[in-house]
Amino acid sequence: MREEVAKLKYMFNPRSVAIIGASRSPKKIGYEIVRNLKEYGFRGEIYPVNPQAKEILGFKCYKSVLEVPGPVDLAIISVPARIVPKVLEECGRKGVKAVAVISAGFGEIGNIELEREIVSIARKYGMRLLGPNIFGLFYAPSKLNASFGPRDVLPGNIAFISQSGALGIALMGWTILEGIGLSAIVSVGNKADVEDADLLEYFSEDPETKVILIYMEGVRNGRKFMEVAKKVTRKKPVIVIKAGRSEMGARAAASHTGALAGSDKIYDAAFKQSGVLRALNFEEAFDWARALSKLPPPKGENVVIITNGGGAGVLATDACEEHGLKLLRMTEDLMEKFKRYMPPFGSPKNPIDLTGQADENAYKGAILEALNDPRIHGIIALYCHTIITDPEALADAIIEAYNTAREKKPLVVNFVGGEECNRGMRKLEQAGIPTYPTPERAVSALATLFKWARYAGFIKAEYE
Ligand code: COA
């Protein structure tokens, strides 16, 4: 890891955090960050800095970072832009290792000089600088919520990097609602110093992160991004939502974060060459990220669909073809095995149709059979709700099959139905099995896992 990148450990695993511009007024950004740090349970020292205040949220307050008694690894700066150079100098003199500049009013509004000035101060003292123009950062393992976004972010294995502030904050809330766990959230804003390539390299070595997901409007140094991405994607999947696909969108991006959006075709080609998985929107990106972070990579190309509804099976089959997933051609002996879990009018071909009268035991038996057969490398289980089966009992049965199988294999599940189906799907998610509300979304997620596994060399070409 480059030395510059290794320094990011002070950003994500700081022993102490100073909040410069910590405010006494609830609702102000400098207050909410202290509150999030405290209430999310940050384990290190918290030092609010404010020349006017004695105490904030029970923490002793300091007039300047220079007055803080112990060492400071990370400083969060939330004072108006014009004061940032002054407090940054103080951070440098104090020996602060990394800073995150929340303040807006730099390159994004044409204040390029001010942005250059803060970068040069940070570099003079060897500090890494995140931002400016950001909502903060979050890192689950160190219980660090140094943001003014929602507090109760769920811990997990997806590192989410966002160039957009408001969208990033909104997605923090959305992931809580959707039950999606995150290892890190990083608002990169103007990327004046720390940029995507640094974070990619850092998170590629982070044991808590299994997938890296970036919302991007543009990169400053495309060549560097590609070089790093090429290496990282062989180790961990990288998903990018690159906004500004249209010409008008690119112009909007330029005025939003000052990003040079560049030609979308160039980005597209660069992503393909470097193994980056490009998602069209955040729904797709998080669908993929859940599968990629939870499931093991497949060892071969053969997929089976197990369903109780012919229609859902056909929709999934179409989607498999569109996404380049190969449905296993069933052999006689395999069909005989699957026939055991269906009535005589079921179909043991692929899709394996257990029929509308299938109960949880039929699913359990068929899924376990598929998990244990070495010719099958991925499974799509679909369930259309009927009153014959309780979706929660079905979820338990699927979990049991998954946990008792000889080998863990990629398995995605789609339940179609009402609230009881949602309850079943939540159970599956908690057990580490990704679920989707439509067959197509389940297929798209599994197909992306296969795509990445091919790129990273998990699927051997000679495997049939
Ligand atoms: N050191 C430390 N604290 C200082 C200070 C200094 N040198 N000078 C002033 N402060 C204190 C202030 O007294 C104030 O505390 P108080 O509320 O208890 O009086 C606190 O720092 C904040 O300063 P204030 O002038 O009230 O600024 P603010 O909170 O209204 O705004 C920003 C500060 C950074 C939030 C604002 O300038 C900004 O950039 N907002 C946009 C942020 C944003 O959108 N980022 C991108 C998100 S995606």
Side-chain angles (χ1 to χ4, degrees):
M1 191 184 284
R2 285 175 294 144
E3 197 189 327
E4 287 310 290
V5 175
K7 281 185 187 167
L8 294 178
K9 73 168 190 244
Y10 296 110
M11 210 164 259
F12 298 106
N13 270 310
R15 290 160 298 181
S16 53
V17 180
I19 307 90
I20 304 178
S23 169
R24 295 158 290 180
S25 311
K27 298 276 178 222
K28 271 201 187 179
I29 290 176
Y31 177 91
E32 296 302 331
I33 293 178
V34 179
R35 195 162 105 152
N36 269 357
L37 276 167
K38 178 183 177 180
E39 293 186 6
Y40 199 71
F42 176 61
R43 296 205 188 96
E45 298 296 329
I46 298 175
Y47 301 119
V49 175
N50 180 328
Q52 323 287 343
K54 287 205 160 43
E55 175 263 1
I56 290 174
L57 283 157
F59 297 105
K60 179 176 163 33
C61 211
Y62 298 88
K63 290 195 182 339
S64 147
V65 72
L66 291 166
E67 286 190 3
V68 171
V72 174
D73 282 345
L74 171 66
I76 310 290
I77 298 180
S78 180
V79 291
R82 64 177 194 289
I83 315 178
V84 174
K86 174 181 168 282
V87 299
L88 208 50
E89 272 287 343
E90 291 174 355
C91 286
R93 283 166 47 212
K94 170 72 183 164
V96 171
K97 304 285 196 306
V99 295
V101 182
I102 303 286
S103 324
F106 294 86
E108 81 284 2
I109 56 158
N111 262 341
I112 313 258
E113 271 314 307
L114 192 58
E115 189 160 308
R116 284 207 187 112
E117 189 185 346
I118 62 168
V119 173
S120 83
I121 296 169
R123 298 215 168 128
K124 182 170 80 183
Y125 291 104
M127 301 183 282
R128 291 310 309 263
L129 182 149
L130 184 67
N133 187 23
I134 61 171
F135 64 84
L137 69 150
F138 162 88
Y139 186 62
S142 49
K143 290 199 157 276
L144 175 82
N145 187 342
S147 79
F148 59 94
R151 188 164 318 119
D152 302 319
V153 184
L154 301 171
N157 303 109
I158 302 169
F160 173 44
I161 299 163
S162 180
Q163 193 169 0
S164 166
L167 184 63
I169 292 180
L171 288 177
M172 275 174 93
W174 180 79
T175 56
I176 298 169
L177 200 67
E178 293 286 310
I180 300 172
L182 301 168
S183 54
I185 304 171
V186 193
S187 171
V188 285
N190 296 5
K191 306 189 213 181
D193 175 42
V194 173
E195 52 185 336
D196 304 293
D198 298 322
L199 294 165
L200 275 187
E201 196 174 334
Y202 185 79
F203 287 121
S204 77
E205 302 272 318
D206 174 29
E208 299 299 323
T209 297
K210 296 215 168 112
V211 176
I212 303 163
L213 196 164
I214 308 178
Y215 168 83
M216 175 192 287
E217 295 184 354
V219 280
R220 275 171 196 263
N221 187 342
R223 201 174 294 273
K224 183 172 161 198
F225 177 83
M226 267 187 78
E227 267 170 29
V228 174
K230 254 185 201 157
K231 285 189 202 136
V232 174
T233 51
R234 299 218 165 257
K235 204 169 158 192
K236 285 182 190 176
V238 175
I239 300 169
V240 170
I241 313 166
K242 163 70 180 66
R245 275 182 292 132
S246 63
E247 223 173 274
M248 298 247 285
R251 257 182 272 150
S255 67
H256 177 208
T257 42
L260 275 181
S263 156
D264 192 68
K265 282 203 184 97
I266 297 175
Y267 274 103
D268 213 47
F271 291 151
K272 279 203 182 96
Q273 272 179 44
S274 46
V276 168
L277 304 159
R278 183 176 187 176
L280 284 186
N281 50 51
F282 66 79
E283 178 183 273
E284 188 170 72
F286 279 100
D287 273 359
W288 296 354
R290 284 189 294 116
L292 287 154
S293 66
K294 288 181 168 168
L295 299 172
K299 291 184 179 154
E301 294 282 4
N302 297 327
V303 172
V304 293
I305 298 170
I306 298 173
T307 183
N308 69 339
V314 177
L315 288 174
T317 304
D318 280 345
C320 282
E321 192 167 319
E322 273 158 30
H323 290 285
L325 275 183
K326 185 184 150 206
L327 288 188
L328 173 70
R329 195 184 289 273
M330 299 295 263
T331 56
E332 280 303 324
D333 72 306
L334 262 179
M335 287 198 279
E336 283 309 315
K337 277 186 181 174
F338 284 111
K339 270 186 191 166
R340 295 210 291 268
Y341 309 105
M342 61 182 66
F345 48 89
S347 169
K349 291 186 181 147
N350 197 3
I352 299 159
D353 188 352
L354 304 175
T355 81
Q357 71 181 53
D359 63 7
E360 64 268 25
N361 291 323
Y363 269 96
K364 188 166 105 186
I367 290 174
L368 192 56
E369 207 68 73
L371 285 166
N372 282 340
D373 194 293
R375 290 164 289 185
I376 296 171
H377 310 114
I379 302 156
I380 300 160
L382 310 173
Y383 168 68
C384 301
H385 185 44
T386 64
I387 50 165
I388 292 167
T389 308
D390 166 16
E392 286 194 68
L394 175 57
D396 288 334
I398 295 174
I399 294 165
E400 206 185 318
Y402 195 62
N403 290 339
T404 52
R406 282 195 288 276
E407 185 188 348
K408 285 270 181 289
K409 273 181 196 172
L411 164 67
V412 290
V413 176
N414 153 242
F415 282 6
V416 186
E419 180 46 38
E420 54 275 72
C421 280
N422 286 347
R423 282 197 294 273
M425 288 199 281
R426 272 197 293 276
K427 262 193 167 177
L428 287 159
E429 282 288 336
Q430 277 158 12
I433 301 170
T435 63
Y436 300 90
T438 67
E440 293 85 351
R441 282 171 62 180
V443 171
S444 166
L446 189 72
T448 307
L449 174 64
F450 273 65
K451 190 171 165 186
W452 177 71
R454 282 182 211 114
Y455 178 84
F458 286 99
I459 299 182
K460 308 279 176 289
E462 69 277 8
Y463 212 107
E464 221 330 71

